[in-house]
């Protein structure tokens, strides 16, 4: 991680003390050296891995010791092992085995013969020695049968050698190829690019591995890891064959058998598993990054918003919400999407816009989305009111609208109308609305359904937690879904906060949180700084200043000649200059705080309740000029919104039904390993049309303008 020892020690101590990542990132900067939440999570993941590794080493050591076979050499090898694979390789010879050819041979008493052969004495005659082991009762009828049993034992012993396995695994990583063939070459599937595929294990991209895995799972592909077996044979022979004697020849044959029958299939499985795990981790990182950008999309504030959930036979559902998200009106229209037939539907939409003073429209991007967009665009040209619209992702809206949470939130509304409400609120405050949906259902990744579920949930919930805490929430309006992501608060405590609020009225002070059932001092320490109380008794309660720093904040204001009532006023803008004149270190010493905490307090006093999302470019709202894919021509320059970023490029919404693809090679002039280095979800970008395939509904774009 290229961090100082002290940073790591302090972070580990904080994690072990039960502090959450958002809390450590925000309020323990002096101890961590201002590490951000993403680095802290990576450090936490690595810490978990190393502790699991240490536990496994202890388990293996104890197991070998119980067998009376633990030597100094084995203990030293375990101590030096840096991966779980290495530990398992060391344990392999001592692992209780199921019935194998070697175990059968051992039961027949052939181990001494195997030891005789492995000595490889020049003058030894293995055939004559083998005759001593002929025994009808043990089903050893000939000397050849005895030799074969002894070689089975040698082959298994060779395959259990940790050093050999390590060398062969390294060989695979360097020289092996992953190949795939079609199970039915005539069948047309989405995996046709992989019908005759071959690429080096060391170079193959993660998204290709995930595609191969899925193709194999669906029965469309046969996938294998291949290597020239002579490479592996030579490594094994070099380690175990001592000479050209007759015994040496038998050991050579056993070494080759060991490689082909035991080591290579095992290493291939390990390599496949490792490639999949690495690809999955990469995909989860991309998904996490996309989700972070989506959740932190700037809210469209102070707008009365019409949520428009498109549809054909079941009609288009509409819901109007005010600037706080409260539902004002709802209706269903049944347009045919034919200009001469939709007068009644258009009249109803115009009436709902006029009646409620709608200023923004959020259109879901599902079935009939573009037809609905065309209808709305026509209406906006025909009405005097200034209204703009945006097509928003409705991924997960149907899951939410049929959920228990939606039923609790909107018991008086039908399932279909709840979807329209969610679409409207997604435009107003993406974060507050999207936290109600399982992160996997938000749809900003690739192969998300193939990922390890536990790891995926852990990573995505971590992203949601970081986003919610970085923005902070209003204690008096937040839903229990939003509150449950706040540092130190679980689902039960979140519901208790909402119940307390309903029974006792709005919170006027952060300290009241201590009266909430099951919210003790430890939880209060974790959550208080992320919960805002607007218009409360103490102006500091509407800032991200933690209650533990209130005295320092008051002391700072006194030193600089300000009062609590000056928080957020233009006067408070002078506090930074005053502190700089006095010297930050000197001010910190008097207040008993560190420079990072002082910097954060100054920012909060100047802009209480600051929303970091407000500093990002506003979303692209459209006013009615739309196109179809057939209207696109190569060379056209357009402005669009990045909807998804994947390993090989980015999909951009340019206002037609299909999103266009900007391949990684067309994102920028400099070399980039991954599109995320240059673009992010929600970003507004300029693009030029390179190619349009109307039949396949594919649009190729470039950002190199």
């Amino acid at each position: 991680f290229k961090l100082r020892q002290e940073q790591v020690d302090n972070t580990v101590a904080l994690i072990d003390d039960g502090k959450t990542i958002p809390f450590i990132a925000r309020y323990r900067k002096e101890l961590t050296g201002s590490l951000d939440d993403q680095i802290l999570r990576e450090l936490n993941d690595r810490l978990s891995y190393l502790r699991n590794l240490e536990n496994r080493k202890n388990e293996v050591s104890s197991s070998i010791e119980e067998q009376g076979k633990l030597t100094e050499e084995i203990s030293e090898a375990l101590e030096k092992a840096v991966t779980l694979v290495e530990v398992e390789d060391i344990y392999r010879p001592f692992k209780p085995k199921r019935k194998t050819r070697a175990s059968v041979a051992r039961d027949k008493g052939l181990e001494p013969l195997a030891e005789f052969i492995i000595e490889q004495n020049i003058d030894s005659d293995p055939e004559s020695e083998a005759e001593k082991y002929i025994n009808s009762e043990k089903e050893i009828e000939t000397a050849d049968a005895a030799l074969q049993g002894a070689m089975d034992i040698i082959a298994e012993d060779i395959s259990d050698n940790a050093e050999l396995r390590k060398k062969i695994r390294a060989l695979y990583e360097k020289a092996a190829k992953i190949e795939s063939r079609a199970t039915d070459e005539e069948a047309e599937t989405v995996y046709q690019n992989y019908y005759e595929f071959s690429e080096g294990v060391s170079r193959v991209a993660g998204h290709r591995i995930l595609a191969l895995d899925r193709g194999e799972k669906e029965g469309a592909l046969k996938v294998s890891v291949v290597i020239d077996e002579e490479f592996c044979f030579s490594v094994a022979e070099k380690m175990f064959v001592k000479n050209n004697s007759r015994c040496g020849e038998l050991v050579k044959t056993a070494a080759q058998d060991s490689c082909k029958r035991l080591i290579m299939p095992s290493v291939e499985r390990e390599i496949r598993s490792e490639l999949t795990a690495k690809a999955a981790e990469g995909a989860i990182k991309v998904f996490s990054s996309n989700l972070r950008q989506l959740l932190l999309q700037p809210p469209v504030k102070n707008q009365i918003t019409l949520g428009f959930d498109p549809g054909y036979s079941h009609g288009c559902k509409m819901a109007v919400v005010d600037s706080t998200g409260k539902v004002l009106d709802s209706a269903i229209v049944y347009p045919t999407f034919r200009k001469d037939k939709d007068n009644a539907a258009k009249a109803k939409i115009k009436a709902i816009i006029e009646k409620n003073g709608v200023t923004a429209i959020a259109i879901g991007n599902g079935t009939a989305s573009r037809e609905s967009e065309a209808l709305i665009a026509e209406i906006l040209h025909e009405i005097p009111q200034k209204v703009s619209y945006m097509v928003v992702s409705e991924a997960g809206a149907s899951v939410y609208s049929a959920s228990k949470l939606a039923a609790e939130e909107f018991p008086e509304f039908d399932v279909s109308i709840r979807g329209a409400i969610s679409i409207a609120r997604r435009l107003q405050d993406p974060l507050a609305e999207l936290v109600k949906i399982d992160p996997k259902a938000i749809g900003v990744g690739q192969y998300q359904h193939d990922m390890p579920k536990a790891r995926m949930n852990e990573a995505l919930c971590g992203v949601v937690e970081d986003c919610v805490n970085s923005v902070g929430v209003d204690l008096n309006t937040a839903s229990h879904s939003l509150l449950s992501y706040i540092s130190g608060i679980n689902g039960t405590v979140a519901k208790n906060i909402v119940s307390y609020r309903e029974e006792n009225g709005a919170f006027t002070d952060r300290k009241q949180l201590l009266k909430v059932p099951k919210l003790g001092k430890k939880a209060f320490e974790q959550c208080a700084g992320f919960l805002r109380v607007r218009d409360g008794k103490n102006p500091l309660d509407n800032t991200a200043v933690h209650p533990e720093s209130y005295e320092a904040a008051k002391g700072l204001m006194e030193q600089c000649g300000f009062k609590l009532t000056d928080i957020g006023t233009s006067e408070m803008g002078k506090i930074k200059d005053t502190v700089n004149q006095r010297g930050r270190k000197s001010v910190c010493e008097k207040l008993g705080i560190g420079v990072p905490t002082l910097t954060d307090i100054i920012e909060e006093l100047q802009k209480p309740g600051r929303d970091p999302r407000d500093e990002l470019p506003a979303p692209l709202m459209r006013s009615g000029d739309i196109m179809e894919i057939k209207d696109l021509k190569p060379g056209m320059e357009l402005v669009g919104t990045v909807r998804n970023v994947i390993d090989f490029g980015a999909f951009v919404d340019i206002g037609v039904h299909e999103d266009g693809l900007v391949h990684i090679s067309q994102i920028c002039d400099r070399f980039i390993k991954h599109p995320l280095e240059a673009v992010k979800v929600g970003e507004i970008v300029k693009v030029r049309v390179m190619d349009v395939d109307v039949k396949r509904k594919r649009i190729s774009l470039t950002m190199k303008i």
Side-chain angles (χ1 to χ4, degrees):
F1 288 98
K2 295 176 182 163
L3 301 174
R4 299 190 310 277
Q5 183 71 40
E6 138 197 38
Q7 285 177 288
V8 176
D9 290 344
N10 290 341
T11 302
V12 171
L14 288 164
I15 290 168
D16 287 346
D17 192 36
K19 302 290 189 281
T20 64
I21 298 299
F23 178 82
I24 297 170
R26 175 76 199 191
Y27 297 114
R28 294 295 178 262
K29 290 180 179 176
E30 282 84 357
L31 291 173
T32 67
S34 299
L35 296 180
D36 68 24
D37 47 28
Q38 291 179 65
I39 293 288
L40 288 169
R41 285 197 188 279
E42 286 177 30
L43 201 147
N44 189 30
D45 288 346
R46 184 67 184 149
L47 178 65
S48 299
Y49 178 86
L50 291 172
R51 283 181 169 166
N52 288 338
L53 177 66
E54 211 57 38
N55 290 339
R56 185 61 183 149
K57 283 181 182 182
N58 292 334
E59 287 168 9
V60 166
S61 180
S62 299
S63 175
I64 298 172
E65 193 170 25
E66 280 169 19
Q67 296 172 40
K69 296 176 181 175
L70 187 65
T71 63
E72 275 187 31
E73 192 182 12
I74 293 168
S75 293
E76 196 179 324
L78 280 171
E79 187 63 35
K80 285 181 179 174
V82 292
T83 66
L84 284 165
V85 171
E86 285 179 67
V87 174
E88 296 307 323
D89 280 351
I90 294 164
Y91 186 40
R92 187 176 289 273
F94 310 98
K95 224 177 195 172
K97 288 185 172 68
R98 57 184 173 78
K99 191 174 180 181
T100 62
R101 278 162 49 173
S103 68
V104 170
R106 281 191 174 94
D107 291 342
K108 289 179 180 180
L110 292 170
E111 196 149 16
L113 178 59
E115 287 167 3
F116 174 86
I117 295 169
I118 205 78
E119 281 297 315
Q120 299 173 63
N121 289 327
I122 298 278
D123 302 325
S124 295
D125 182 356
E127 277 78 10
S128 299
E129 184 70 18
E131 285 175 6
K132 299 175 187 176
Y133 292 87
I134 295 171
N135 186 329
S136 296
E137 286 179 19
K138 291 184 178 179
E139 298 178 349
I140 305 171
E141 306 292 346
T142 63
D144 283 346
L147 284 174
Q148 184 55 56
M151 286 167 69
D152 286 341
I153 292 171
I154 294 168
E156 186 169 279
D157 286 347
I158 288 173
S159 86
D160 283 343
N161 184 283
E163 192 186 342
L164 175 62
R165 280 184 166 267
K166 192 173 180 179
K167 285 182 177 179
I168 289 181
R169 194 180 294 109
L171 202 58
Y172 264 80
E173 286 167 358
K174 189 178 176 183
K177 290 184 175 182
I178 188 160
E179 295 186 348
S180 64
R181 298 288 176 267
T183 50
D184 179 358
E185 289 185 12
E186 308 223 343
E188 285 194 20
T189 71
V190 292
Y191 302 106
Q192 278 168 284
N193 289 349
Y194 298 100
Y195 277 8
E196 285 186 23
F197 174 79
S198 176
E199 193 165 0
V201 159
S202 60
R203 295 190 307 275
V204 65
H207 65 272
R208 293 197 192 284
I209 293 295
L210 296 174
L212 290 170
D213 286 351
R214 188 185 278 184
E216 184 178 48
K217 197 176 173 184
E218 292 177 9
L221 301 174
K222 285 178 186 169
V223 184
S224 56
V225 176
V226 295
I227 194 169
D228 185 340
E229 59 186 28
E230 292 298 327
F231 290 169
C232 301
F233 292 169
S234 65
V235 173
E237 288 163 19
K238 198 172 180 182
M239 282 183 71
F240 291 96
V241 180
K242 295 178 184 176
N243 51 46
N244 292 325
S245 65
R246 177 66 187 132
C247 285
E249 284 175 18
L250 291 174
V251 172
K252 182 178 179 179
T253 304
Q256 291 180 356
D257 174 50
S258 179
C259 285
K260 200 165 185 175
R261 181 171 58 87
L262 301 171
I263 300 176
M264 290 168 68
S266 170
V267 170
E268 179 177 347
R269 285 192 299 273
E270 285 173 17
I271 292 287
R272 285 286 308 273
S273 176
E274 203 175 289
L275 286 171
T276 297
K278 196 175 172 186
E281 198 57 35
I284 288 170
K285 274 190 176 177
V286 172
F287 200 135
S288 298
S289 178
N290 287 346
L291 179 63
R292 185 181 298 273
Q293 300 305 332
L294 188 67
L295 292 174
L296 291 177
Q297 282 295 287
V300 176
K301 294 179 177 176
N302 306 318
Q303 301 274 3
I304 295 172
T305 307
L306 169 65
F308 197 90
D309 187 0
Y312 290 118
S313 54
H314 297 293
C316 299
K317 281 67 71 177
M318 299 188 292
V320 180
V321 298
D322 68 10
S323 57
T324 66
K326 181 185 169 189
V327 183
L328 301 176
D329 204 349
S330 65
I332 300 178
V333 290
Y334 297 89
T336 59
F337 301 114
R338 286 174 54 189
K339 287 188 178 183
D340 55 330
K341 300 280 185 184
D342 283 337
N343 293 331
K346 284 166 79 174
K348 198 168 182 179
I349 297 167
K350 287 176 185 177
I352 206 168
I353 291 172
E354 189 175 351
K355 176 187 168 189
N356 297 286
V358 170
T359 54
I361 301 175
I363 304 171
N365 68 342
T367 306
S369 167
R370 292 306 179 188
E371 293 87 341
S372 298
E373 185 184 356
L375 183 71
I376 294 293
E378 276 178 45
I379 290 168
L380 298 191
H381 284 305
E382 294 169 9
I383 60 174
Q385 296 95 324
K386 191 180 177 186
V387 182
S388 51
Y389 74 85
M390 183 176 171
V391 176
V392 301
S393 167
E394 61 176 54
S398 56
V399 177
Y400 162 73
S401 57
S403 69
K404 186 183 173 187
L405 175 61
E408 287 171 4
E409 203 172 356
F410 304 113
E412 70 276 30
F413 290 105
D414 178 68
V415 171
S416 57
I417 297 296
R418 289 177 200 154
I421 297 168
S422 179
I423 287 167
R425 286 178 161 189
R426 284 183 188 205
L427 182 65
Q428 291 185 325
D429 191 343
L431 180 60
E433 198 57 29
L434 290 171
V435 293
K436 300 172 186 174
I437 297 157
D438 178 352
K440 290 194 295 297
I442 293 174
V444 281
Q446 54 184 351
Y447 301 101
Q448 56 260 47
H449 302 295
D450 299 339
M451 298 298 106
K453 282 194 175 121
R455 177 71 188 117
M456 180 85 151
N457 284 340
E458 181 192 6
L460 298 187
C461 288
V463 170
V464 179
E465 186 184 19
D466 291 341
C467 292
V468 171
N469 286 284
S470 70
V471 171
V473 306
D474 187 327
L475 185 52
N476 287 317
T477 61
S479 65
H480 70 76
S481 321
L482 195 55
L483 288 166
S484 66
Y485 281 104
I486 288 291
S487 169
I489 294 178
N490 58 28
T492 305
V493 174
K495 286 181 178 175
N496 289 349
I497 290 173
V498 174
S499 300
Y500 182 90
R501 195 169 70 197
E502 287 168 354
E503 289 165 19
N504 301 282
F507 285 88
T508 56
D509 195 309
R510 275 174 172 165
K511 287 178 193 166
Q512 285 175 272
L513 282 164
L514 290 165
K515 295 177 184 176
V516 172
K518 296 189 178 177
L519 199 157
K521 286 184 179 176
K522 226 173 177 184
F524 179 80
E525 179 194 32
Q526 296 283 297
C527 73
F530 302 109
L531 298 168
R532 312 276 186 269
V533 181
R534 303 190 196 285
D535 305 317
K537 293 175 185 174
N538 186 346
L540 288 170
D541 283 347
N542 189 33
T543 70
V545 176
H546 196 282
E548 68 186 11
S549 299
Y550 279 6
E551 289 308 311
K554 288 173 187 172
L556 174 64
M557 285 188 282
E558 278 173 29
Q559 273 192 46
C560 299
F562 294 102
K563 305 185 292 295
L564 277 175
T565 50
D566 293 327
I567 293 174
T569 63
S570 55
E571 274 298 301
M572 192 57 81
K574 299 170 187 172
I575 194 168
K576 196 173 182 178
D577 293 335
T578 310
V579 169
N580 289 340
Q581 283 165 12
R582 290 167 180 254
R584 291 197 170 219
K585 281 193 178 176
S586 166
V587 172
C588 286
E589 281 168 19
K590 284 181 185 174
L591 297 172
I593 57 174
V595 173
T597 299
L598 175 69
T599 304
D600 287 347
I601 290 173
I602 291 170
E603 274 188 30
E604 288 301 319
L605 294 178
Q606 290 175 313
K607 293 181 180 178
R610 178 180 66 91
D611 188 334
R613 297 173 296 173
D614 292 342
E615 293 165 17
L616 301 168
L620 183 64
M621 302 289 287
R622 301 186 184 276
S623 57
D625 300 315
I626 65 156
M627 297 182 295
E628 294 178 39
I629 190 169
K630 61 183 175 60
D631 300 327
L632 295 176
K633 298 283 181 289
M636 273 186 172
E637 290 191 8
L638 303 158
V639 175
T641 305
V642 178
R643 291 293 178 210
N644 197 5
V645 180
I646 49 176
D647 286 346
F648 54 86
F651 285 101
V652 178
D653 176 359
I654 51 172
V656 301
H657 196 281
E658 287 73 26
D659 292 340
L661 173 67
V662 183
H663 188 266
I664 186 170
S665 61
Q666 294 298 324
I667 289 175
C668 57
D669 291 319
R670 64 188 169 89
F671 171 76
I672 53 173
K673 283 186 177 178
H674 198 282
L676 282 171
E677 293 173 40
V679 288
K680 54 182 188 261
V681 167
E683 190 176 343
I684 310 299
V685 294
K686 281 186 179 178
V687 293
R688 188 175 70 245
V689 178
M690 290 175 66
D691 187 48
V692 183
D693 186 337
V694 178
K695 192 177 176 185
R696 294 167 76 193
K697 296 184 177 177
R698 290 186 178 177
I699 305 162
S700 298
L701 304 170
T702 179
M703 285 169 57
K704 294 179 178 179
I705 298 176

